[in-house]
Amino acid sequence: MAKGNHKRVRGKPQAHSLLEHYQPIDGVVDEMVDASGNPRPVWKDFVEALDELGAEKLGQRFARADQYLRDAGVYYRVYDKAGANEREWPLAHIPVLIEDGEWQAISAGLVQRADLLEEIVADIHGQNRLVEKGILPAGLIAASPEYLRPVVGTRPAGGHFLHFCAFELGRGPDGRWWVLGDRTQAPSGAGFALENRVATTRALSDIYGEMHVHRLAGFFRRFRDALIGMAKESDGRVAILTPGPLNETYYEHAYIARYLGIMLLEGEDLTVSGGRLMVRTVSGLMPISVLWRRLDAAFADPLELRPDSQIGTPGLVEATRQGTVSTVNALGSGLMETRALLAFLPKIARELWGEELLLPSVATWWCGQATERAHVLANIDRMVVGPALSTRLAFEDDGQTKLGSALSVGERAELVARIERDGEAFVGQEAVTLSTTPVYVGGWLEPRPASLRVYLARTPEGWTVMPGGFARVGLSLDPTAIAMQRGGQAADVWVVSDRPVERETLLPQEGDSFNRTRPGSLPSRAAENLTWLGRYIERSEDTVRILRAYHVRLAETSDPDMPLLADVRDYLEPFGIDVETAIPPGLIGMLDSAVYSAGQIRDRFSPDGWLALKDLSKTIHRFATTVAPGDDATRAMTVILRKLAGFSGLLHENMYRFAGWRFLEIGRRLERGIQIAGTLARLTGSKAPDGALDMMLEIGDSVMTHRRQYPVQAGRRTVVDLLALDPLNPRSILFQLERLKTEVGLLPATGGEGHMSAAAKEILQLNTAIAIKEPADMTTKALNELASEIGGLYNSLAKAYFG
């Protein structure tokens, strides 16, 4: 970076320098320092700024970045022998710095490459001239599991196969950047790149603010606008298709959907009707015309592709044939990730354009050709050899790719025999020596191997390149350790200019036209999960209130056989709540169910809401091992109630009053009505023990209200009047029915405009019937029947909106 760009006046140099023990590796390019060990120009001021902060402040700042990622719930799912586990996002705190001029050269090479891949995939699915001329081997293409015969001959609706690509880059010992692999199937990581940027800039905000680092928001804004533009052409909607919450990068799918304001859907949310792809919403079927898929194409349609797929949508291939939906990227485009194709790209570029690749691929030889096979066998000690049809990078390949120099004599002989016998199945590639970048370890900087993932998005003006992407950085000097599934870290990438850069955002520019999103686009699955989230949260709160009332009295009497306490135990037992355990597993299960329901709709949650829910979950799990019955449990229940109220308050105040909020509210009101009616029936019955009415008022959070409303001691009629029939008490049954009548009445009509839905009719009838009741009418039997009737309202709602 040129001198004079910093506004801050540097203090005296620190005695402790982060570079004091930095040891670049012989024969390897280091991103930060040159061959003499001096910081490169783009790094010089950055390193000086780190030195000024010192080890203690840096440690505090990096801890702040880690805390942000934990608070935001950023995770990556790791698959191992123990199963699928969530791993906190492993941020490497030191960004990789690249000078703007060098980045422009990288960008030009990647744009050329993306155009080349577009031509190749279009040819393979169209006229097939490359195979006809013998430039691409027919057997290699036909053998690939990514060659999807049902989509061959189908021209994408938007005219392009590729819209969003990623490329894995590495810098070799000669200082040049090489393409290690192409990502055209469903490239992941763009959302994580955004989170890397947020976390890194929180730690280094002052340094970032003084350096001319290109922003990322403009890249996403241009791509979002391109997707919306494609949808407008066919009067449909844009959606992101995810395999679901168990996918390793699901967090990113939800994050990108929320960031861009695009629906996040699973295969079951979609159906094909009349040749059009439709999403099931609470307003009926709505057309989807642009689908940004984040699952592998083979799983997209069990009808014509993989019949065992549980995450696809039957008929999606036919919809693409009809041209009614554009998939991003097109089905079949994952073929371009095939490792063996790297061997043919240089020749194809010369054949099609008469050009050399501006960014060459890592040297690759397909062993299905005699000359290339002989070359690999003659040089196997300095190569890596792996499956020709693999779509993974060599260092991601989970043991299938072998480094020739690391093989024993017997292993080498066995591999040679396999190549000679079945050469078509193998490729040889030049062993990659990746450049190193600094990581912060124990107060010092140390070099680690790194690769760079860069993203390109198609817009009406052509390809746009994300200025940065993210770097995968190893935990050790072993290049295979940069893979995320093997414990690698992720670093932000700063593209640094020598002049001020535009501060781009997702917000529209002044004077830009805009339209509000059309109502009624809430997917039915999301509505169902929101309803159950409301129910689980309310069920948890009611249970906690009962448990708190129980433990208050247990602490006062120390007699668990007291009639009132025994009655509460008997009441809760059928619901799986064992009060002898301070924090019953049944209560933990309720909150875990709430977290699960929320996890199915992460894209519809603010970070604050999700953080509050996760904090609630962590608290109750911690209490389960530390809290004793009685007074200790009473205090714990009060803490849990406060956190439940905090979560509910965040949702109530922050959620837009759209259909999603209404279903959440409906779930809460249904469950509160059921719980109050059931508890009232038990604690106001003729056989209720002494103290039951006071406990009921306490559970119903209505002790003070009762004192103000009724100048007499609590009796059955006053308690029933307040908690069943008072329309102004937010804890009463009638209040819940009034709210249900209002919210259900505002839901999208299901019987045609001007016609009341069956659910709305049932709620109106029930509300009217209860509104004219007297306390004497609300017998134990009547209250139990009412609880059952309120529960039955859910079935009517589910039939109308969740089917």
Side-chain angles (χ1 to χ4, degrees):
M1 191 172 70
K3 294 181 179 179
N5 286 332
H6 293 299
K7 296 178 181 178
R8 180 170 58 194
V9 177
R10 299 292 184 197
K12 292 183 179 180
Q14 300 289 317
H16 169 97
S17 173
L18 291 168
L19 291 179
E20 191 173 327
H21 298 290
Y22 195 78
Q23 294 290 332
I25 302 169
D26 290 340
V28 175
V29 171
D30 191 272
E31 297 296 329
M32 182 175 65
V33 300
D34 59 23
S36 302
N38 298 315
R40 300 181 188 277
V42 73
W43 284 86
K44 186 175 183 297
D45 287 341
F46 178 81
V47 173
E48 288 178 0
L50 294 184
D51 275 340
E52 273 194 18
L53 289 171
E56 183 177 354
K57 286 186 178 179
L58 273 180
Q60 293 171 352
R61 288 185 175 218
F62 293 153
R64 187 188 309 161
D66 293 337
Q67 187 62 52
Y68 161 76
L69 293 170
R70 284 193 294 271
D71 289 348
V74 184
Y75 72 89
Y76 184 85
R77 197 173 297 281
V78 176
Y79 303 101
D80 52 28
K81 294 180 180 178
N85 300 297
E86 291 183 8
R87 176 190 178 197
E88 290 184 358
W89 185 246
L91 178 69
H93 302 101
I94 304 295
V96 177
L97 274 56
I98 300 178
E99 189 270 327
D100 196 15
E102 183 176 24
W103 188 258
Q104 296 308 315
I106 292 172
S107 298
L110 293 181
V111 168
Q112 180 206 43
R113 192 178 188 90
D115 283 336
L116 180 63
L117 296 181
E118 172 70 31
E119 286 208 30
I120 295 172
V121 70
D123 178 75
I124 290 172
H125 289 82
Q127 296 179 325
N128 235 337
R129 291 178 178 175
L130 293 172
V131 170
E132 182 182 343
K133 293 180 179 180
I135 300 171
L136 275 177
L140 175 64
I141 301 301
S144 173
E146 297 302 330
Y147 182 65
L148 307 178
R149 286 170 175 78
V151 300
V152 173
T154 300
R155 185 70 181 171
H160 297 287
F161 284 82
L162 303 179
H163 301 84
F164 193 85
C165 305
F167 299 93
E168 201 81 25
L169 308 181
R171 194 198 295 270
D174 61 355
R176 298 181 65 190
W177 288 99
W178 297 79
V179 177
L180 307 178
D182 305 305
R183 290 285 174 257
T184 57
Q185 175 75 267
S188 64
F192 290 124
L194 277 170
E195 288 286 37
N196 286 344
R197 176 60 56 89
V198 174
T200 303
T201 53
R202 287 208 175 187
L204 305 173
S205 56
D206 48 351
I207 301 174
Y208 178 81
E210 292 180 1
M211 300 181 74
H212 302 318
V213 182
H214 286 276
R215 269 53 174 179
L216 304 181
F219 170 83
F220 288 97
R221 188 187 71 247
R222 286 186 281 275
F223 185 51
R224 178 200 60 189
D225 292 348
L227 293 176
I228 293 172
M230 292 167 61
K232 286 180 178 178
E233 294 173 2
S234 50
D235 190 31
R237 290 161 176 76
V238 181
I240 296 174
L241 178 62
T242 174
L246 292 181
N247 183 260
E248 61 187 13
T249 56
Y250 176 75
Y251 170 84
E252 183 210 2
H253 304 169
Y255 179 83
I256 287 288
R258 187 170 62 243
Y259 183 71
L260 299 183
I262 296 174
M263 280 193 294
L264 183 66
L265 305 177
E266 295 181 29
E268 65 182 276
D269 295 324
L270 297 164
T271 187
V272 175
S273 177
R276 291 209 69 175
L277 185 67
M278 313 290 279
V279 57
R280 298 181 177 94
T281 79
V282 297
S283 298
L285 296 180
M286 299 284 184
I288 295 290
S289 56
V290 179
L291 192 65
W292 184 1
R293 62 177 181 85
R294 299 301 303 271
L295 79 168
D296 289 353
F299 292 90
D301 185 347
L303 197 62
E304 297 199 53
L305 300 173
R306 283 191 59 154
D308 61 337
S309 173
Q310 301 291 316
I311 55 177
T313 302
L316 180 57
V317 169
E318 180 59 27
T320 62
R321 284 198 199 100
Q322 301 255 353
T324 60
V325 62
S326 296
T327 55
V328 177
N329 291 324
L331 301 176
S333 56
L335 179 65
M336 293 298 95
E337 296 187 359
T338 305
R339 194 185 299 180
L341 285 182
L342 294 175
F344 300 92
L345 295 185
K347 184 176 180 180
I348 294 174
R350 289 191 292 269
E351 176 70 23
L352 294 180
W353 299 336
E355 297 177 0
E356 296 296 330
L357 292 175
L358 299 176
L359 268 182
S361 308
V362 61
T364 304
W365 296 267
W366 178 52
C367 297
Q369 298 165 303
T371 302
E372 286 73 10
R373 181 167 60 250
H375 177 80
V376 170
L377 292 174
N379 297 278
I380 198 168
D381 288 335
R382 59 185 184 87
M383 288 194 180
V384 291
V385 179
L389 300 179
S390 174
T391 57
R392 294 184 172 191
L393 304 182
F395 54 74
E396 294 177 329
D397 216 273
D398 197 23
Q400 294 188 62
T401 298
K402 308 297 182 182
L403 178 61
S405 61
L407 298 175
S408 66
V409 174
E411 290 171 333
R412 186 181 188 278
E414 180 184 356
L415 180 59
V416 167
R418 291 177 63 194
I419 294 173
E420 289 176 337
R421 181 176 64 252
D422 189 17
E424 293 86 355
F426 294 93
V427 291
Q429 291 183 297
E430 182 180 351
V432 177
T433 302
L434 295 171
S435 63
T436 56
T437 193
V439 297
Y440 188 76
V441 181
W444 303 97
L445 295 181
E446 295 183 6
R448 293 289 186 272
S451 69
L452 191 65
R453 182 171 291 189
V454 185
Y455 300 88
L456 275 69
R458 187 183 295 281
T459 72
E461 293 73 37
W463 291 105
T464 183
V465 182
M466 182 193 291
F470 77 85
R472 297 200 285 177
V473 184
L475 281 175
S476 68
L477 294 176
D478 178 4
T480 65
I482 73 174
M484 303 301 290
Q485 290 285 343
R486 299 187 184 184
Q489 297 175 291
D492 192 13
V493 178
W494 292 6
V495 177
V496 183
S497 176
D498 59 0
R499 59 180 60 88
V501 298
E502 185 177 354
R503 295 181 178 271
E504 296 186 280
T505 72
L506 274 187
L507 298 175
Q509 304 301 307
E510 191 65 33
D512 287 354
S513 61
F514 67 90
N515 291 305
R516 286 199 179 109
T517 303
R518 287 168 292 181
S521 294
L522 179 69
S524 297
R525 181 183 55 85
E528 185 174 14
N529 276 294
L530 283 164
T531 304
W532 275 105
L533 174 61
R535 293 193 67 172
Y536 284 130
I537 288 297
E538 195 60 42
R539 189 178 298 177
S540 300
E541 180 179 338
D542 181 78
T543 303
V544 170
R545 288 185 179 279
I546 295 175
L547 289 172
R548 185 173 67 168
Y550 175 90
H551 286 287
V552 164
R553 286 154 181 79
L554 179 64
E556 291 172 348
T557 66
S558 299
D559 180 13
D561 295 325
M562 173 185 176
L564 178 58
L565 298 186
D567 194 62
V568 170
R569 280 200 304 274
D570 292 342
Y571 174 62
L572 291 177
E573 185 179 5
F575 303 108
I577 304 297
D578 178 10
V579 296
E580 294 183 4
T581 304
I583 308 294
L587 174 61
I588 297 173
M590 288 179 197
L591 278 171
D592 286 345
S593 295
V595 173
Y596 176 82
S597 293
Q600 304 296 305
I601 44 176
R602 274 294 298 270
D603 58 306
R604 296 182 179 273
F605 267 88
S606 70
D608 286 340
W610 181 254
L611 174 60
L613 184 58
K614 292 294 285 185
D615 179 60
L616 175 60
S617 176
K618 289 177 183 177
T619 298
I620 197 167
H621 279 274
R622 184 177 72 251
F623 282 167
T625 59
T626 60
V627 171
D631 190 56
D632 201 22
T634 301
R635 289 194 298 270
M637 295 300 166
T638 300
V639 171
I640 294 169
L641 273 177
R642 280 204 311 267
K643 296 199 173 192
L644 278 164
F647 174 68
S648 297
L650 273 172
L651 296 186
H652 191 273
E653 293 302 319
N654 293 349
M655 282 189 73
Y656 188 77
R657 295 309 194 255
F658 188 35
W661 181 87
R662 300 197 189 288
F663 280 100
L664 181 71
E665 180 73 356
I666 286 167
R668 291 182 61 215
R669 299 305 172 182
L670 279 172
E671 194 65 34
R672 185 174 293 183
I674 294 168
Q675 297 297 331
I676 290 292
T679 312
L680 262 179
R682 182 71 176 216
L683 294 182
T684 64
S686 58
K687 297 181 180 180
D690 290 343
L693 294 178
D694 289 332
M695 179 181 272
M696 186 65 238
L697 289 173
E698 187 177 324
I699 291 169
D701 198 20
S702 297
V703 174
M704 292 180 62
T705 305
H706 185 275
R707 290 173 184 167
R708 287 196 300 266
Q709 294 287 93
Y710 307 96
V712 295
Q713 187 176 358
R716 185 184 189 279
R717 285 190 302 168
T718 61
V719 172
V720 170
D721 185 58
L722 181 60
L723 288 174
L725 304 176
D726 191 330
L728 301 181
N729 182 6
R731 292 282 167 182
S732 78
I733 299 171
L734 184 56
F735 186 93
Q736 314 316 312
L737 293 173
E738 292 279 6
R739 293 297 305 157
L740 284 169
K741 180 181 70 173
T742 299
E743 298 304 336
V744 173
L746 293 171
L747 291 178
T750 57
E753 292 298 330
H755 293 276
M756 186 178 291
S757 68
K761 289 178 182 177
E762 286 184 38
I763 290 170
L764 178 59
Q765 290 171 347
L766 188 55
N767 180 71
T768 303
I770 299 303
I772 61 175
K773 296 288 187 183
E774 295 293 334
D777 300 325
M778 305 305 292
T779 63
T780 298
K781 180 182 179 183
L783 286 167
N784 280 324
E785 289 176 349
L786 179 57
S788 179
E789 287 179 281
I790 296 172
L793 295 175
Y794 174 81
N795 297 327
S796 298
L797 285 166
K799 183 178 180 180
Y801 296 105
F802 307 154

